[in-house]
Amino acid sequence: MEKRGAICLVSGGVDSVTALYYVYHRIKPKDIKIIFCNYGQRTFEEEKYCITKISNLLNLEMKIIDISWLGEISTSLLTKKNLEIPETKFEDLFDAEKAKSRILRWWDPCRNAILILIALAHAESLDIRYNIKYDVYIGIRRETPVAMKDNTPEFIEIMNKLVDHATHYGGYKVYAPLITYDKDKVVRLGEELGIPWKYTYSCYRGGLGYKEVNGEKIPIHCGWCSNCRRRILAFKEANIKDPSIYLKLD
């Protein structure tokens, strides 16, 4: 069977790092390359810090790609450092109507499609130059109770249909191995794979600095944004200790 390479899109969060570790330990491809994109996100420095730590631990090549123009055209709070990130209550995570109303707060135009196409372009380039097929892996999940359109199995299916039309040779695959997982299941898998959770960052706010713990810098999460709330809840439901530092826990 043909041994293929893997290009992993990693953002530094629980899901993308777990997907990376899954590829590394379970898929065991011929080669793994990490792509991390700077789309102007307010949490870029914390994410970069974590991904650098992870890539060094796994001894993997990491490439940072600047697509900050995306942040310039986005209305998402993820790219607007001057705007406050609103607090989300734990109970609101399960309210479908409130979840729908929050989507545009975090929506960057075509982001996941752009990320996948960036990784696909690298896969095709490597194939043309070295005659090695690389597949693309992304750590997105279908979030409940309401999923963003580009976090669904249907989206991945469509991106795979695009592959053969967008590339010369075709034959590359786009995988989202965690697409149907709940977040607590992701945490359990990540724990099984040995992820150092202190080097993952989920916060939407960012800019809160770092705390030194046992001689190591740990980035601080706010604890009140919707993504922090989901992270806290997932670790609690998985019954796994979260070593993250939170500014606010209640």
Side-chain angles (χ1 to χ4, degrees), residues 43 46 84-91 93 106 200-209 219-234 242 244-250:
T43 53
E46 292 91 345
E84 192 54 54
I85 299 293
E87 179 174 354
T88 298
K89 298 184 184 302
F90 282 107
E91 57 267 27
L93 294 175
W106 320 121
T200 60
Y201 194 74
S202 304
C203 187
Y204 281 162
R205 188 186 188 283
L208 296 170
I220 299 172
H221 289 69
C222 74
W224 67 73
C225 71
S226 59
N227 224 32
C228 279
R229 298 293 201 192
R230 273 193 290 268
R231 180 187 178 113
I232 292 165
L233 194 60
D242 181 7
S244 304
I245 309 297
Y246 294 96
L247 196 64
K248 176 181 178 180
L249 268 178
D250 57 28

Side-chain angles (χ1 to χ4, degrees), residues 2 4 20-21 61 68 100 121 127 175 178 188 242:
E2 177 191 21
R4 300 165 74 96
L20 171 64
Y21 268 66
E61 175 188 340
S68 52
K100 283 181 186 177
D127 189 13
Y175 294 105
L178 311 179
R188 289 189 191 97
D242 181 7

Side-chain angles (χ1 to χ4, degrees), residues 8-21 34-37 39 41 43-55 62 115 138-139 183 195-203 219 221 227 231 235 244:
C8 294
L9 289 158
V10 184
S11 68
V14 166
D15 299 336
S16 71
V17 173
T18 300
L20 171 64
Y21 268 66
I34 296 173
I35 287 182
F36 169 50
C37 290
Y39 60 92
Q41 65 269 43
T43 53
F44 172 74
E45 291 300 331
E46 292 91 345
E47 291 175 7
K48 184 177 76 169
Y49 175 78
C50 288
I51 296 170
T52 300
K53 289 286 189 181
I54 292 293
S55 63
M62 177 184 72
L115 297 180
I138 185 169
K183 204 170 190 76
I195 292 175
W197 296 115
K198 60 188 175 182
Y199 298 139
T200 60
Y201 194 74
S202 304
C203 187
H221 289 69
N227 224 32
R231 180 187 178 113
F235 275 90
S244 304

Side-chain angles (χ1 to χ4, degrees), residues 57 76 83 92 102 205:
L57 284 171
S76 166
L83 298 179
D92 289 345
R102 287 195 301 266
R205 188 186 188 283

